Amino acid sequence: MNTKVVITAIVAIVVIVAAVLLLTRGGEQASTTIRLYMEDMVETAYLEKLLPEFEEQTGIKVIIEKASYEVMREKLISVFKSSEGYYDVIIVDNPWVAEFAEAGWLVPLDDFIAENPQLNVDDYLTSLWWTVGKYWKDGKVYMLPWYNYALALMYRTDLVNTPPRDWMEFYNLAKQLTDPQKDFYGVAAQARRGYKVVEEGLNYVYGFGGRVFDASLRPVINSSQAVEALLLYGRVVFETAPPGAINWEFDEAFQAAQSGKAAMMITYNWMIGALNNPEQSQTAGKWMVAPVPGGYAVLGAWGWAIPHNAPNKEAAFKFLAWVASPETEKKLALMGHAPVRKSTFLDPEVIQKYPYMKTLLEVVDNSLPIVPPVTVGEQIVHILGQYFSESLLHVKDFEEGKISEEEAKALIKQELDKAAQEIYELMKTEGYYEEQVQLPPPWGPG
Amino acid sequence: MFLLPSLALLVGIGLAPFFYVLLLSFHRYRLTWTDRPWEFVGLDNYRYVMNWERFWDAAWNTIVFAVGTTLLSFAVGFALALFLSQRFKGRGILRALVIIPLLIPPVSVGLMWRFILHPLLGLVPWIIKNVTGATVSFFETPAMAMFSLILIDAWEWFPFMFLVLLAGLESLPREPYEAAYVDGASRYQIFRHITLPLMRPVIAVAILLKFLISLKVYDIIYTVTTGGPGTATETLSYLIYRQTFAYFWVDRGSAMALVYEYLIILFAVLFVKYALVKARMG
Amino acid sequence: MASVRLVKVRKIFHTPRGEVTAVDDVNLEVRDGEFLVLLGPSGCGKTTTLRMIAGLETPTSGEIYIGDRLVNDLHPKDRDVAMVFQNYALYPHMRVRDIIAFPLKIRKYPQEEIERRVREVAEMLKIEHLLDRRPRELSGGEQQRVALGRAIVRRPKVFLMDEPLSNLDAKLRVVMRAELKKLQKNLGVTTIYVTHDQVEAMTMADRIAVMNKGRIVQLGTPKELFTRPANTFVAGFIGSPPMNMIECSLDEGKNLLDCGALKYRLDPDAGLTLRSKGVTEVILGIRPQHVLIERGKRPDAVAQAPIYVVEPMGTETIVNFKLGETMIRAVIPADIDVEAGEVWNIVFPRDRVYLFDKKSGELVA
Ligand SMILES: Nc1ncnc2c1ncn2[C@@H]1O[C@H](COP(=O)(O)OP(=O)(O)OP(=O)(O)O)[C@@H](O)[C@H]1O
Ligand SMILES: [Mg+2]
């Protein structure tokens, strides 16, 4: 017998049988599978723990594909643009919402919400609802809020008696606590160009009464309040933060704070958990959270959405109904998830586990999105990031005595003028300003 | 005749994307414009790019970065290659150690170095502080940020230079060396008159390759400085990448990419013409 | 200038297939100013010996002296020798001019002197027209002359030349032979010259060291080697056409060598010597030039045989006889007419016959 012939025949038969089995299975749809696209982080892991519950209830299998933040935008757009579709459910960062919605890439959820009254959308915090829920322009709902990224003040209770209420107070306190001789600093700042400098610097701007846009969507970031705010921000970075903080990201700042080298830090409100977690922090137990000085915090948020070309919308809706329900959110919150519903913040069980929940509610309630839902949100954040970073370099020159305070302010004003101009032109290209608009709260009057 | 189908395929695969980009560069179009048609704008995008200060700033940054990292990684790589092409005990282990940086993914390299250079927790500032008493902040000023990026990138790439140059050294003929020994040449004279001229083509290729690769730097910029402070470390590919894939302005992105591509091609042609051809002629 | 002395020098190469003894306990003294030729077949260790003297190989054991100095641990560049490599080893990236100038340039000779010497050397080697070319634009013979030029451009203690003329055409080789010999005599530089061409060795050498299988089997002047070859190897290697070697056994009683188809009567002295040394199996050697042939009968003829092949060489003719298994050659003047098939008498003049011990190959009488 010729062994080659036998082997070839066997391989051929196996391949054919396998192919037939695979094809027929595809036709039968024995069990439904949906595909999620999510950022790779701890919250995603919490959700994974709860998934068996959903799979048991519905018989729908869930596959989560995780990606790092950097690649998500690019990946999402390639999926949106393909005719086939790949993901059934995705999460979307707030600067991208309007862009994706206007392009027709997200399925409106209004009917779904009407059919599922138990979702109780009134329960979502107003700031979040207008950021990653209802789209102000056409009044339709494209997303259900999933996660909040509101900024808050973390401070060491052993060093700070009462958290500062405004930015000047914050600066003074930070300065008082700074002792470079001992490698100890008032603030672990994160002023890297890009999202970081905006997430931090805008809090100062908000606190000084400045805004990025007015209610008719004209850029006003070049206001005198914003100039004053950035000058003070720069002084904090160069006088009270460790050297190099101008290039710091979250990782650098968190390591400095947890290792006991800084007394305060502006970061996402729920980071209080990590700072007080002995597994992650050498200074666990010494941290407390408070609203950012100045009152208004910068808000980032993620929401759930269904792509226009989702292969299995029916199952996707079922998943949304489960994951966005108050019950699921409470279970997740008990694991450490950052809530988006008022009822969760106020839930006795949740408060018992996390006594600072009421403070977090106050933080999120008094927050303004990093950028309102417009179709060039991502780019606006980066324009701000660039000119904020340039402004800080002027403050540095001032700190080194190369220029006077007045000159520094004038230069910052110039940078912010450029930012405002670029944003204006960008918005115009995108067709804004052709008609008068009026933004709803939290941007509008009130 | 047989060439025709394969030629057509080649043209299709190689040139179709190019024509798409070329076409885009004469239009106004954003990836999110699903119901707005491409709008022909002639040379507008090019005019914009040519007059855009930031583009030329980025071009300058790119050149500074590429020259810096190429020279640094070459110097370190060549020195190590010369050292490790000699025969001695433990050479194999040292060679293996030298290659390690190449095995670390670029994104991790950036993150790792951010912490090695961390002013409070990093190893390098700690050493400098203990030796000189000075506190050095590696990203504080635009110049320092660029310098640090060059340092990090050169660290990631010197093993590549090392490998290419080592392969070159190992493949050099042995006879000229023996002749030079007998002729009485010193170590330095041998390096200067034998090794260097014989290595010239390899060196030229290594430098060209590394330079072209450096011109495309993105990962390290993204993970370490995101182009800051200000626009001090913003390079062309970073700018183009953000414009095209983060902001979806594929029109200006295409124009920029094409201008950039022309600049690179121009450079490569000049380099090949002068450096490589000269190297072959000796 | 200096003598070169090798004392029990041995070189063993370790290869994946085992050890190769390339040079085996060589003792050799090259006198100051002497032209010594290392002669031997391919693979006998000539190049290896030269490379050890140059410092490119380290001896496995033994000592090498240049002058009075032990140089075993001395770097090649400090030995002040010049070498012509068998494979030329030219600098591929340089022009001929710079290759020849290289040893002078690195010694920082003045520019004019470098130019003058390069010109002289190029003239002597007939490569003036090649000075601006690179090695890969040269023929093998041209490259070889450049390699020679690089060595003779300076005045080292010792010249080491590894078959420096092997790639030249016959005519040029004869010219160069003379030029080199003259140069060496003028400069008086001790020279070790490797070749496997015995004519080159005979014409150029003050003394010849014949090597075989890593050993020096005889050292002497060309004349000594020709007239008193110490063993069958030297006897067979020197002289052209090679010496006739005939295996014989001693017939004790009759003082006769029985060589199968031919018989050779020993003179009494020779017989005595053989007996005293206990040699019974003998190799009889006689150079073809010394074999006499006669048409007429002669009492002292060793054999009578028909001519097998005739090879006319111009001034002389080689005549081949086949006696059983042995072939005997005679060289005769070209004006004697011979034809294959004719029967001639073969005579071995007594004073031209060498007797070697078959076992050891050594010359006995
Ligand atoms: N590097 C080496 N490694 C192993 N064996 C070697 C090496 N160099 C030479 N040999 C061996 O040593 C012996 C002598 O070599 P050598 O080159 O000295 O011969 P040679 O007399 O110069 O021969 P030729 O006339 O062919 O040049 C040869 O058997 C050769 O194979
Ligand atoms: Mg040889």
Side-chain angles (χ1 to χ4, degrees), chain C residues 40-306:
Chain C
S42 188
C44 72
K46 305 181 296 291
T47 297
T48 307
T49 308
L50 271 204
R51 287 172 58 85
M52 283 192 289
I53 298 170
L56 297 172
E57 304 283 0
T58 325
T60 309
S61 62
E63 287 148 22
I64 299 175
Y65 296 88
I66 295 179
D68 296 326
R69 184 158 181 203
L70 179 68
V71 296
N72 279 38
D73 296 324
L74 208 58
H75 192 270
K77 78 171 160 48
D78 302 318
R79 296 192 183 193
D80 196 18
V81 301
M83 181 156 173
V84 183
F85 289 81
Q86 189 171 5
N87 53 17
Y88 321 142
L90 299 180
Y91 305 122
H93 56 287
M94 293 188 198
R95 291 173 197 284
V96 168
R97 181 188 306 285
D98 300 316
I99 296 173
I100 297 175
F102 187 72
L104 305 180
K105 207 159 109 191
I106 58 169
R107 288 183 173 73
K108 313 230 154 52
Y109 274 55
Q111 192 58 36
E112 312 89 74
E113 170 145 20
I114 294 180
E115 276 170 28
R116 184 175 54 76
R117 287 223 206 163
V118 169
R119 213 175 323 114
E120 280 171 15
V121 165
E123 216 168 290
M124 173 185 151
L125 297 170
K126 309 199 179 359
I127 50 173
E128 301 110 303
H129 59 296
L130 304 175
L131 285 178
D132 288 316
R133 297 218 199 144
R134 278 170 225 283
R136 76 181 119 82
E137 300 157 352
L138 300 177
S139 75
E142 288 166 345
Q143 291 186 38
Q144 193 160 40
R145 276 178 282 161
V146 176
L148 195 53
R150 177 177 55 189
I152 63 179
V153 76
R154 79 189 163 95
R155 309 285 171 258
K157 286 201 191 110
V158 182
F159 281 135
L160 302 173
M161 302 190 179
D162 199 348
E163 309 194 21
L165 306 180
S166 61
N167 240 323
L168 306 188
D169 62 63
K171 211 171 114 198
L172 195 55
R173 195 181 311 184
V174 173
V175 178
M176 284 301 147
R177 231 151 55 187
E179 289 278 359
L180 264 187
K181 177 86 190 166
K182 197 173 77 196
L183 178 85
Q184 195 269 339
K185 281 301 152 221
N186 287 345
L187 299 178
V189 175
T190 311
T191 301
I192 304 176
Y193 186 106
V194 164
T195 181
H196 48 212
D197 176 346
Q198 47 124 350
V199 180
E200 218 167 274
M202 299 296 280
T203 52
M204 298 178 84
D206 293 331
R207 284 192 302 160
I208 299 175
V210 181
M211 283 189 81
N212 187 27
K213 295 185 180 151
R215 291 172 176 276
I216 290 185
V217 290
Q218 189 173 6
L219 174 66
T221 62
K223 198 166 170 205
E224 279 166 6
L225 259 54
F226 191 78
T227 54
R228 299 232 17 108
N231 49 45
T232 48
F233 179 78
V234 176
F237 203 75
I238 288 176
S240 164
M243 188 183 274
N244 293 303
M245 304 268 191
I246 307 153
E247 290 186 14
C248 310
S249 43
L250 179 67
D251 187 334
E252 303 251 357
K254 294 179 187 159
N255 212 21
L256 194 81
L257 284 183
D258 179 0
C259 317
L262 61 83
K263 308 272 182 271
Y264 173 76
R265 182 163 299 282
L266 290 166
D267 70 51
D269 285 359
L272 224 83
T273 317
L274 285 182
R275 266 190 291 277
S276 72
K277 293 191 174 161
V279 176
T280 54
E281 296 300 303
V282 177
I283 288 183
L284 180 155
I286 182 164
R287 296 198 184 277
Q289 288 83 354
H290 299 148
V291 176
L292 297 179
I293 58 173
E294 301 258 344
R295 270 186 220 275
K297 255 200 153 73
R298 276 189 57 152
D300 55 347
V302 290
Q304 212 182 15

Side-chain angles (χ1 to χ4, degrees), chain A residues 180-200:
Chain A
Q181 254 23 62
K182 289 188 184 144
D183 262 358
F184 193 83
Y185 295 87
V187 185
Q190 336 172 21
R192 157 110 29 110
R193 183 189 145 171
Y195 265 89
K196 288 302 145 186
V197 71
V198 181
E199 281 178 353
E200 222 172 54

Side-chain angles (χ1 to χ4, degrees), chain A residues 428-442:
Chain A
K428 212 170 154 204
T429 323
E430 278 289 89
Y432 289 94
Y433 312 142
E434 275 162 21
E435 54 201 66
Q436 194 66 32
V437 297
Q438 180 72 44
L439 286 181

Side-chain angles (χ1 to χ4, degrees), chain A residues 73-74 99 193 244 252 389, chain B residues 30 114 226 230 234 241 246:
Chain A
R73 237 175 106 75
E74 220 180 305
E99 193 173 30
R193 183 189 145 171
E252 284 98 340
S389 186
Chain B
R30 190 171 182 234
R114 269 163 55 188
T226 54
E234 191 171 70
Y241 184 89

